[in-house]
């Protein structure tokens, strides 16, 4: 049995501690730790992390559940302003896991990625524990079956290693495995951002993720992670419907026996967070009804130069050019390369890999034209 610490003041006293215009959560934690040390002799310096759990229902202010540094504050029960103790429900694990996620280094993901409103990237809602998935569970015990962490945080924490898909891929099956989930990473060559594809079904801790998905095919999720975008904008989840509909429309494709493509031109898109192209194209094909299987085709809209190459005759370039690492591309004298930017919105560029070169051998009398 836990040993409760009897605090000298009531809960409202600690909940309403102020520091200027803000609730003083730090002072509330310090007072709780001081009493625990005085009454139970606890040396908090011996622990990597601590949870300060107060009895009864949820309080606001300085006692609102939170994590700061290695300290977590939680309530014993989940409801606020209930008429009696018997009306309050047990906290369950959703809030506890969410706050422990902060201790591990995860951020809140309640945002709508507002700096990037036109990219078809939406807040993950009930699909992850760091967003609304904190409350997943049956109606009588919300939070008892919360959603998992996003694949990006699982990778950050060292829990998984996503499979990096080589390109192109055709008819690649996205396989569901409840015991050992599969994650497939797509890496744009021009960014540290990346996409992860996974398949989720209503089993285990996904039994209530989300609650209203009975009419949705068992398709795939396409995640977009941006390590440089700041804590609250690290995680994005593509919405198959293309706008902020309910969470049931997130999985690709929208309907059974349906093929759906997402690229730099679609809504949602595979654009990078700053609007640049990723040059990736993903087509999801769903065969069968609810218990069918999902296959993807993945390609890049690029002209790739993978070996030492000489362009000796003129042509029209309608895709960006990626010169692989340790490769030289030479454009011979007199060659006219016409640039057709109509499909790429001025994104036709030469991307030169490490230890690679672009050599243009034009002369005054026989120039190279681009």
């Amino acid at each position: 049995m836990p040993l409760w610490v009897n605090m000298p003041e009531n809960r409202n006293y600690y909940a309403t501690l102020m520091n200027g215009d803000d609730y003083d959560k730090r002072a509330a934690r310090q007072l709780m730790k001081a009493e625990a040390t005085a009454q139970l002799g606890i040396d908090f310096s011996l622990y990597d992390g601590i949870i300060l759990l107060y009895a009864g229902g949820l309080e606001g202010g300085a006692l609102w559940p939170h994590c700061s540094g290695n300290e977590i504050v939680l309530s014993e029960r989940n409801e606020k302003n209930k008429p009696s103790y018997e009306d309050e429900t047990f906290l369950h694990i959703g809030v506890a896991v969410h706050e422990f996620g902060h201790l591990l280094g995860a951020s809140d993901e309640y945002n709508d990625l507002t700096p990037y409103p036109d990219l078809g990237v939406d807040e993950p809602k009930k699909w992850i524990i760091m967003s609304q998935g904190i409350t997943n569970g049956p109606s009588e015990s919300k939070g008892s079956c919360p959603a998992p962490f996003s694949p990006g945080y699982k990778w950050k924490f060292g829990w998984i290693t996503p499979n990096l898909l080589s390109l192109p891929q055709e008819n690649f099956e996205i396989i569901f495995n409840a015991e050992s989930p599969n994650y497939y990473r797509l890496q744009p060559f021009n960014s540290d951002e990346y996409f992860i594809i996974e398949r989720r079904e209503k089993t285990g801790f996904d039994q209530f993720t989300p609650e209203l998905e009975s009419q949705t095919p068992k398709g795939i999720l396409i995640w977009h992670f941006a390590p440089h975008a700041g804590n609250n904008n690290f995680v994005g989840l593509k919405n198959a419907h293309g706008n902020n509909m309910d969470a049931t429309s997130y999985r690709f494709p929208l309907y059974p026996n349906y093929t759906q493509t997402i690229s730099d031109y679609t809504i949602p898109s595979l654009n990078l967070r700053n609007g640049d192209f990723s040059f990736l194209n993903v087509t999801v094909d769903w065969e069968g009804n609810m218990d069918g299987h999902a296959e993807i085709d993945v390609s890049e809209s690029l002209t790739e130069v993978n070996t030492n190459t000489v362009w000796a005759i003129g042509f029209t370039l309608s895709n960006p050019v990626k010169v692989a690492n340790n490769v030289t591309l030479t454009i011979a004298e007199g060659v006219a390369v016409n640039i057709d930017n109509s499909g790429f919105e001025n994104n036709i560029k030469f991307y030169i890999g490490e230890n690679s070169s672009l050599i243009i051998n034009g002369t005054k009398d026989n120039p190279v034209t681009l």
Side-chain angles (χ1 to χ4, degrees), residues 48-184:
D48 295 325
I50 61 172
I51 296 177
L52 300 167
L53 180 73
Y54 58 86
L58 190 66
E59 283 285 351
L63 291 184
W64 186 258
H66 65 274
C67 176
S68 179
N70 69 338
E71 299 174 355
I72 295 173
V73 173
L74 298 173
S75 61
E76 177 197 11
R77 292 176 176 265
N78 196 36
E79 302 295 330
K80 186 178 181 180
N81 299 325
K82 286 290 185 179
S84 70
Y85 186 85
E86 289 75 18
D87 291 328
E88 298 168 349
T89 61
F90 185 64
L91 177 66
H92 298 296
I93 65 171
V95 176
V97 174
H98 176 97
E99 298 302 341
F100 188 72
H102 288 313
L103 191 147
L104 293 175
S107 296
D108 284 325
E109 298 292 347
Y110 300 114
N111 58 296
D112 291 317
L113 294 171
T114 49
Y116 318 99
D118 301 322
L119 302 185
V121 182
D122 205 357
E123 182 258 319
K125 293 188 176 178
K126 286 184 172 291
W127 292 98
I128 58 171
I129 185 68
M130 301 313 294
S131 184
Q132 296 175 21
I134 188 175
T135 61
N136 287 3
S139 58
E140 68 275 11
S141 54
K142 292 293 187 181
S144 62
C145 191
F149 287 92
S150 72
Y153 275 123
K154 289 181 181 180
W155 193 17
K156 271 191 171 186
F157 298 157
W159 299 347
I160 65 167
T161 301
N163 299 306
L164 178 62
L165 289 185
S166 59
L167 303 180
Q169 292 284 342
E170 291 187 7
N171 301 320
F172 185 89
E173 185 173 1
I174 304 300
I175 299 173
F176 175 74
N177 186 327
E179 298 300 322
S180 182
N182 296 301
Y183 303 97
Y184 306 95

Side-chain angles (χ1 to χ4, degrees), residues 125-267:
K125 293 188 176 178
K126 286 184 172 291
W127 292 98
I128 58 171
I129 185 68
M130 301 313 294
S131 184
Q132 296 175 21
I134 188 175
T135 61
N136 287 3
S139 58
E140 68 275 11
S141 54
K142 292 293 187 181
S144 62
C145 191
F149 287 92
S150 72
Y153 275 123
K154 289 181 181 180
W155 193 17
K156 271 191 171 186
F157 298 157
W159 299 347
I160 65 167
T161 301
N163 299 306
L164 178 62
L165 289 185
S166 59
L167 303 180
Q169 292 284 342
E170 291 187 7
N171 301 320
F172 185 89
E173 185 173 1
I174 304 300
I175 299 173
F176 175 74
N177 186 327
E179 298 300 322
S180 182
N182 296 301
Y183 303 97
Y184 306 95
R185 177 166 63 99
L186 300 177
Q187 184 62 60
F189 75 93
N190 55 335
S191 176
D192 65 343
E193 299 177 27
Y194 57 93
F195 302 90
I196 288 182
I197 294 174
E198 67 165 331
R199 181 169 168 176
R200 301 267 286 272
E201 296 187 8
K202 286 177 71 70
T203 184
F205 277 97
D206 265 326
Q207 292 180 58
F208 299 91
T209 311
E211 296 170 289
L212 304 175
E213 66 171 354
S214 59
Q215 301 303 314
T216 305
K218 295 179 180 178
I220 65 172
L221 296 180
I222 300 178
W223 298 88
H224 182 184
F225 298 98
H228 61 269
N231 287 340
N232 287 3
N233 287 323
F234 170 58
V235 179
L237 180 60
K238 298 297 181 180
N239 188 329
H241 203 284
N243 53 33
N244 192 14
M245 299 292 286
D246 62 79
T248 67
S249 62
Y250 275 66
R251 296 195 290 184
F252 288 78
L254 275 174
Y255 313 108
N257 297 309
Y258 186 73
T259 298
Q260 185 173 2
T261 296
I262 178 172
S263 69
D264 287 314
Y265 301 101
T266 59
I267 298 176

Side-chain angles (χ1 to χ4, degrees), residues 2 17 36 54 64 73 167 170 180 217 227 235 249 253 264 273 279 300-301 308 314 319 338 345 354 361 370:
L17 290 170
Y54 58 86
W64 186 258
V73 173
L167 303 180
E170 291 187 7
S180 182
V235 179
S249 62
D264 287 314
R273 292 288 175 81
F279 306 108
E300 285 182 298
S301 298
N308 293 336
N319 287 325
N338 298 311
E345 303 175 3
E354 295 181 6
N361 283 333
L370 293 172

